[in-house]
Amino acid sequence: MSDLVFIGFPTEKQAEEVRQKVLSLQREYLIELGDAVVVVKDEKGHVKLNQMINLTATGAASGALWGTLIGFIFLAPLVGTAIGAASGALGGRFSDIGINDQFMKDAASSLQPNTAGLFLLIRKMTTDKVLADLKGAGGTLIKTSFDETKEEQLREALAAVTSAHPATT
């Protein structure tokens, strides 16, 4: 069973830095992700999703390759490439893997304008090591499907940056 985590950040840069940190943890086999999406809410309130994988581009590339191969069979490789790329892009545009896009847009509507968030779909993780690496990352835990103990540990790890840097008066 996977767990969903939504963390709010004051800037897109901070959200992207934490996503890159989590992806590096995945390369070390400390966490297994199903998806990691940065959401940005602009000053007008529009929400933009920065997916890990651009399915439209991936579909277009794959479709172009297959279209070219099929085009060679019918002696029209350019036509096959064009049709394959268009159909692949269309297929990629309407497919959705990982976290549901509409759910993320709805949840991100709770963000303040000019802020960002990070959605993580976590399949497995070595909790103590991941939380130690995320300590001081900043951000505010908005939603999670963790149990209360794990949720509180994550809140404390994220908030550690505020206690480490006391505000000056």
Side-chain angles (χ1 to χ4, degrees), residues 14 17 21 134-139 156-169:
Q14 285 179 294
E17 286 172 355
K21 185 182 283 193
L134 289 179
K135 193 167 193 130
E156 289 172 7
L158 292 171
V161 73
T162 56
S163 62
H165 303 291
T168 57
T169 55

Side-chain angles (χ1 to χ4, degrees), residues 1-5 32-35 99 119-125 144-147 150:
M1 185 169 114
S2 297
D3 286 304
L4 180 67
V5 176
E32 184 181 326
L33 296 174
D35 205 357
I99 307 168
F119 282 94
L120 298 171
L121 185 60
I122 302 170
R123 291 189 183 129
K124 292 188 294 187
M125 78 171 173
T144 180
S145 62
F146 286 154
D147 61 41
K150 204 185 264 188

